[in-house]
Amino acid sequence: MLKIKNLSSGYGKLKVLKQVSMHVKAGEIVAIIGANGAGKTTLLTTIAGLLRATSGEIEFRDRPITTLAAQKLPALGCVMVPEGRQVFAPLSVEENLILGGHVLRRQGRQLLAEQLAHQYELFPILHQRRQQLAGTLSGGEQQMLAMARALMSKPSLIMMDEPSTGLAPLIVQEIFRVIGRLREEGNTVLLVEQNAKAALTIADRGYVLETGKVILQGSAEDLLANRDVQRAYLGRERIH
């Protein structure tokens, strides 16, 4: 689904990603964990075309996308749920969702309506709030809206950047329940997450980023059992 080879990028003279290589298979949840400043968000924004790579290659479904404009990716089936939600605050919940499905308009209103109904089934609270302005939602509801908006385009790869940040534990459980269901429905998820235990518990595989480089990779089970990962990223929730 996604192949990344020797990818480097950064901001001006600041080099953040350094020769990163990884892959994501169809139907997987792949977690990327690491400390703040490790390059996790930079990786996603580079894949999404919001930040230009300085070297290396990105392929999505065997198509080179390294230099593709960001707005072209949703139509190919690759979407990103950004850190901080970034919903359209002055618009209603439903208007946000309809905007998320803009790439489906050529395929007819029926498909758009079906996607809208599916998001309301995934996130019942959004159906209750559908006429409410997005900016008045709680943080958890805005995160659900950001996810649902991305899903409106029927993507095959969903990239999520820190979906649990700042949310109450019960809301975090709900977010991860939905991520698990996405895989059941055949979606592929690339998950950047500060909550390493939650991410690895739900993921198939994972990568550990440190100072812009992949320092560890493996099955989620192996990473959860790795003493270095436990010490650095699992903290008091260490698995013995």
Side-chain angles (χ1 to χ4, degrees):
M1 180 70 71
L2 182 72
K3 297 177 186 176
I4 298 168
K5 184 177 179 181
N6 298 328
L7 187 67
S8 297
S9 72
Y11 307 89
K13 294 182 179 179
L14 178 63
K15 295 180 180 179
V16 180
L17 292 184
K18 303 156 189 172
Q19 301 282 300
V20 169
S21 296
M22 60 176 61
H23 69 277
V24 181
K25 296 178 182 178
E28 283 189 316
I29 296 177
V30 174
I32 301 172
I33 64 172
N36 285 334
K40 304 186 301 296
T41 293
T42 301
L43 175 61
L44 290 197
T45 52
T46 304
I47 297 169
L50 298 167
L51 182 65
R52 192 60 63 210
T54 53
S55 64
E57 300 171 4
I58 309 169
E59 287 187 4
F60 175 62
R61 301 171 84 174
D62 296 322
R63 172 175 176 164
I65 61 167
T66 317
T67 60
L68 199 66
Q71 65 268 27
K72 304 276 190 183
L73 279 178
L76 297 180
C78 179
V79 297
M80 178 176 169
V81 182
E83 185 179 14
R85 293 95 180 179
Q86 297 184 29
V87 298
F88 301 115
L91 302 182
S92 71
V93 166
E94 191 151 298
E95 287 168 334
N96 269 264
L97 293 177
I98 290 169
L99 280 172
H102 75 280
V103 299
L104 302 180
R105 286 182 175 175
R106 291 182 180 177
Q107 300 177 49
R109 291 185 178 182
Q110 180 63 31
L111 182 57
L112 194 63
E114 288 172 1
Q115 279 300 97
L116 195 59
H118 185 50
Q119 301 321 310
Y120 286 148
E121 192 261 324
L122 269 180
F123 303 97
I125 191 65
L126 296 183
H127 185 258
Q128 296 175 33
R129 303 272 195 269
R130 62 189 182 279
Q131 300 306 325
Q132 190 170 322
L133 296 184
T136 66
L137 299 177
S138 69
E141 290 165 350
Q142 288 191 16
Q143 182 61 51
M144 293 178 191
L145 177 57
M147 291 171 64
R149 183 182 60 188
L151 292 167
M152 279 292 296
S153 63
K154 290 197 73 174
S156 48
L157 174 64
I158 305 138
M159 301 187 292
M160 297 189 186
D161 193 4
E162 305 283 10
S164 76
T165 298
L167 301 183
L170 282 176
I171 300 296
V172 172
Q173 287 180 22
E174 178 66 11
I175 295 295
F176 277 89
R177 179 194 68 79
V178 172
I179 294 172
R181 181 168 165 183
L182 293 179
R183 174 175 52 192
E184 292 171 8
E185 293 180 354
N187 295 289
T188 307
V189 180
L190 181 57
L191 175 65
V192 160
E193 180 54 61
Q194 195 71 24
N195 187 336
K197 183 178 180 182
L200 291 174
T201 299
I202 199 172
D204 299 291
R205 296 187 301 111
Y207 293 87
V208 181
L209 275 187
E210 190 173 285
T211 60
K213 298 178 180 178
V214 174
I215 61 164
L216 275 175
Q217 60 176 296
S219 71
E221 185 179 358
D222 287 347
L223 291 177
L224 279 168
N226 184 288
R227 291 292 177 182
D228 291 331
V229 172
Q230 291 176 356
R231 192 177 302 112
Y233 305 111
L234 303 184
R236 286 178 292 179
E237 297 186 65
R238 187 184 319 172
I239 296 174
H240 297 282

